[in-house]
Amino acid sequence: MTADPAHTDLWPAPHASGAVDATVHVPGSKSVTNRALVLAALASEPGWLRRPLRSRDTLLMAGALRAMGIEIEEGVGPDGTGEAWRVLPTGLRGPATVDVGNAGTVMRFLPPVAALADGPVRFDGDPRSYERPLNGVVDALRHLGARIDDDGRGALPLTVHGGGALEGGPVSVDASSSSQFVSALLLSAPRFNQGVEVRHTGATLPSLPHIRMTVDMLRAVGAQVDSPESGGEPNVWRVTPGALLGRDLAVEPDLSNAQPFLAAALVTGGRVLVPDWPARTTQPGDRLREIFTEMGGSCELTEQGLEFTGSGSVHGIDVDLGEVGELAPGIAAVAALADSPSTLRGVAHLRLHETDRLAALTKEIDELGGDVTETADGLHIRPRRLHGGVFHTYEDHRMATAGAIIGLRVGGVRIENVATTAKTLPDFPALWAGMLGA
């Protein structure tokens, strides 16, 4: 068996000859697209999803829902403009087989949906998906009345034996390793007979903005949700049973995927405009405005979008990224090019992402001449003069974009398997080249 050339070829990361000056149209949010697909599949009437992200993770989600009997029509929106998906909630049924790839949203959000299906649904995926924690969702679903065969692993592969309904009610879950455990239970909860009361019992809760996104999107389709932010009990979310409405939803640009382009402006002393940046959002990527400004840039939110400008200097930062861990690889790449040390904190959970991101970042930056120390909950980065070399990605899209950021300032960086960016950011190499005027 020969290796896939897309996985073995080395992509020469483009080197910036000067300050970038570009407008970059960032594709839609994966987090919003996949949550919207789940909610539309559970609704009582058809809905529209405008400007959805077409990436590996979202196509896996759409394919999984189709396998369970949901119709998703791809075309233009109801006004005849722009790409849109029409979701027809035609009933959940098995037997079905779901390929999760290595998508955390698919492997965690869909077992609760499968529990509502009429028949068994088998979940399988990439080898790495077997190593990612799923026990929080599996244990909680069993407590709520679901029957799941996983041979006691609390991980993939597994089969959910859908009974057409789920009793629901109160459940405790330790979501310290992934906030997706909470979101997974909340998204399907309006269809549970008793709704759900999810109580997080762990010491920490990473990526809280993603839970806020789930709550906001549930409310937008008519669900009643009691959450800590709305005056509810800390670490407790309650969803009342009820019908979900079909909506016409426009997907925001993926602000976390805007990170490498904003970083390009920062590290080259240039300017990048990202159109349609929302004035209000629950996306974790919105924190980039604050973080990259502290690291030496400036930004302005205008009617056109977010305009970010680098000053020509890049400064180190001491920052807690516990709520926005997905931004850590890109911030680490910028920190490796800074004029002073950086400490990234609160991201121990990144060891359980697409790869062990803390170990991977340490190894790859160090092999380019950097000086990174892995701490109990993050990284300490001391800038050094870097040199070219191979930057491995470990099937992790954010590792690939981190390597591209470093390559802007360091000649001779070659990125292994840049195609992995298709997980959430299709055509990244073309977008990157376009930003640089190529």
Side-chain angles (χ1 to χ4, degrees):
M1 181 176 175
T2 58
D4 182 347
H7 287 60
T8 56
D9 287 353
L10 298 177
W11 180 65
H15 187 65
S17 57
V20 303
D21 187 358
T23 296
V24 180
H25 291 268
V26 176
S29 164
K30 176 202 73 173
S31 298
V32 172
T33 299
N34 275 358
R35 282 166 173 78
L37 282 170
V38 171
L39 291 172
L42 296 172
S44 58
E45 56 193 354
W48 287 94
L49 191 55
R50 298 175 187 257
R51 297 199 304 268
L53 174 67
R54 290 184 62 88
S55 72
R56 187 185 187 215
D57 279 17
T58 60
L59 294 175
L60 284 167
M61 179 66 85
L65 291 170
R66 286 185 176 118
M68 287 191 277
I70 302 298
E71 292 184 24
I72 302 174
E73 301 173 348
E74 301 183 31
V76 296
D79 58 0
T81 63
E83 183 177 7
W85 293 349
R86 187 167 186 247
V87 183
L88 303 170
T90 44
L92 296 160
R93 58 183 179 271
T97 299
V98 167
D99 175 13
V100 310
N102 191 19
T105 51
V106 182
M107 72 179 73
R108 292 166 182 150
F109 291 178
L110 289 189
V113 176
L116 299 169
D118 185 10
V121 180
R122 177 173 170 78
F123 289 81
D124 208 338
D126 297 353
R128 170 62 180 171
S129 71
Y130 292 11
E131 303 170 26
R132 299 187 68 181
L134 202 56
N135 55 299
V137 174
V138 171
D139 293 347
L141 284 175
R142 285 195 178 116
H143 181 82
L144 295 173
R147 185 160 70 92
I148 300 173
D149 292 338
D150 67 342
D151 294 331
R153 291 183 306 271
L156 293 173
L158 57 80
T159 298
V160 179
H161 295 274
L166 195 67
E167 191 59 25
V171 66
S172 296
V173 59
D174 182 351
S176 300
S177 59
S178 177
S179 68
Q180 289 176 352
F181 293 171
V182 174
S183 287
L185 298 168
L186 299 183
L187 285 167
S188 293
R191 290 282 303 273
F192 299 167
N193 293 342
Q194 297 182 38
V196 82
E197 177 188 280
V198 179
R199 185 176 299 272
H200 166 59
T201 59
T204 61
L205 184 58
S207 303
L208 194 55
H210 277 127
I211 298 180
R212 295 188 189 117
M213 177 187 292
T214 299
V215 169
D216 277 9
M217 292 185 68
L218 276 162
R219 288 173 176 157
V221 294
Q224 294 184 16
V225 186
D226 179 46
S227 67
E229 304 83 54
S230 56
E233 189 178 346
N235 289 325
V236 177
W237 294 263
R238 296 180 179 90
V239 180
T240 303
L244 297 179
L245 306 174
R247 290 295 198 202
D248 183 344
L249 173 71
V251 178
E252 299 173 352
D254 193 314
L255 306 188
S256 294
N257 278 341
Q259 181 181 39
F261 305 101
L262 302 184
L266 180 56
V267 304
T268 68
R271 183 199 72 92
V272 165
L273 173 69
V274 178
D276 302 319
W277 194 286
R280 178 191 173 274
T281 181
T282 52
Q283 288 193 60
D286 199 43
R287 276 280 306 278
L288 289 167
R289 293 193 288 162
E290 166 199 337
I291 293 168
F292 278 172
T293 295
E294 188 174 341
M295 296 186 82
S298 61
C299 64
E300 182 181 5
L301 194 56
T302 69
E303 289 184 359
Q304 287 71 44
L306 183 73
E307 183 173 311
F308 189 87
T309 306
S311 64
S313 298
V314 181
H315 310 311
I317 192 171
D318 187 328
V319 62
D320 187 329
L321 300 175
E323 290 196 353
V324 292
E326 66 196 56
L327 304 180
I331 294 169
V334 172
L337 303 170
D339 57 15
S340 58
S342 294
T343 300
L344 314 186
R345 308 178 186 277
V347 286
H349 61 285
L350 294 190
R351 295 186 171 97
L352 301 169
H353 275 224
E354 280 80 349
T355 187
D356 179 342
R357 285 180 172 166
L358 300 185
L361 287 163
T362 300
K363 178 178 180 294
E364 297 309 314
I365 295 174
D366 281 359
E367 289 192 352
L368 299 182
D371 184 1
V372 182
T373 302
E374 195 174 335
T375 66
D377 73 336
L379 300 172
H380 186 62
I381 302 165
R382 289 164 292 273
R384 296 285 186 269
R385 184 177 181 85
L386 302 181
H387 54 70
V390 176
F391 195 93
H392 298 91
T393 59
Y394 309 89
E395 306 288 329
D396 186 335
H397 55 132
R398 300 209 191 277
M399 287 296 296
T401 53
I405 293 167
I406 293 173
L408 289 172
R409 287 262 303 267
V410 179
V413 174
R414 293 168 295 153
I415 296 175
E416 169 256 348
N417 188 19
V418 74
T420 195
T421 52
K423 177 180 170 68
T424 62
L425 188 52
D427 302 322
F428 169 73
L431 283 170
W432 200 243
M435 175 191 70
L436 294 168

